[in-house]
Amino acid sequence: MDGIPDDLEAAVAARIARQRVVHSGDRTFAVVLEEAALYYRMGDADMMAAQLGQLLTVSSAHRVSLGIIPRDIERTWLAGAGFWIYDNERVIAETQSAQLTITQPREIAVYARNFTELSTMAVVGAPARRLITDAITALGQ
């Protein structure tokens, strides 16, 4: 599609490898999602329910902090494209056609500030899990 290679198999392998990291070692993870992302349909209802169930499982891991920004929160700022910060040494940002690796400290600081701002809008713990279960319920599962 549009000259972009079909690298689904490699992407799935990479995601599985990242999931293993969550459950081993001493790393910690802080994740913030928009509540709307819980409702974006990728696949059928069963697939979505499984993905949301995985979020519930991961959110209870002691090394993971999962924040969800509620849809109805009053905002003064909107999130941009997805990004991942790795130990303040590197940021990975995804665009529609590429993955960017950012290593300049001043640019990493911009992403760190953005993450902090997003985190202040997010709910965590039981309120976050309630948003996930609401999304599962909305699937009719």
Side-chain angles (χ1 to χ4, degrees):
M1 177 169 84
D2 295 325
I4 298 172
D6 179 8
D7 57 356
L8 178 63
E9 198 169 303
V12 170
R15 285 192 176 120
I16 289 171
R18 284 194 299 255
Q19 286 177 7
R20 275 193 218 112
V21 171
V22 171
H23 300 290
S24 63
D26 59 358
R27 295 178 185 101
T28 58
F29 302 88
V31 178
V32 174
L33 302 173
E34 296 276 355
E35 181 183 2
L38 304 176
Y39 292 87
Y40 296 149
R41 285 303 264 298
M42 298 298 291
D44 63 19
D46 290 337
M47 180 184 292
M48 283 299 299
Q51 290 177 4
L52 293 168
Q54 179 64 20
L55 268 182
L56 283 173
T57 299
V58 169
S59 72
S60 64
H62 71 278
R63 292 188 190 101
V64 175
S65 169
L66 174 63
I68 299 176
I69 301 170
R71 293 182 287 186
D72 61 355
I73 193 167
E74 186 174 318
R75 293 172 176 264
T76 57
W77 187 78
L78 292 174
F83 62 90
W84 293 262
I85 302 173
Y86 294 88
D87 297 328
N88 295 320
E89 295 176 8
R90 174 174 49 126
V91 170
I92 302 295
E94 289 189 357
T95 69
Q96 289 184 348
S97 62
Q99 177 176 294
L100 306 175
T101 301
I102 299 159
T103 58
Q104 292 293 322
R106 70 182 173 278
E107 293 180 27
I108 292 170
V110 170
Y111 283 92
R113 283 191 303 271
N114 288 349
F115 185 81
T116 298
E117 180 69 23
L118 293 168
S119 296
T120 65
M121 294 185 274
V123 296
V124 296
R129 287 189 292 277
R130 191 167 25 265
L131 292 175
I132 297 168
T133 56
D134 289 349
I136 292 171
T137 301
L139 291 168
Q141 298 290 304

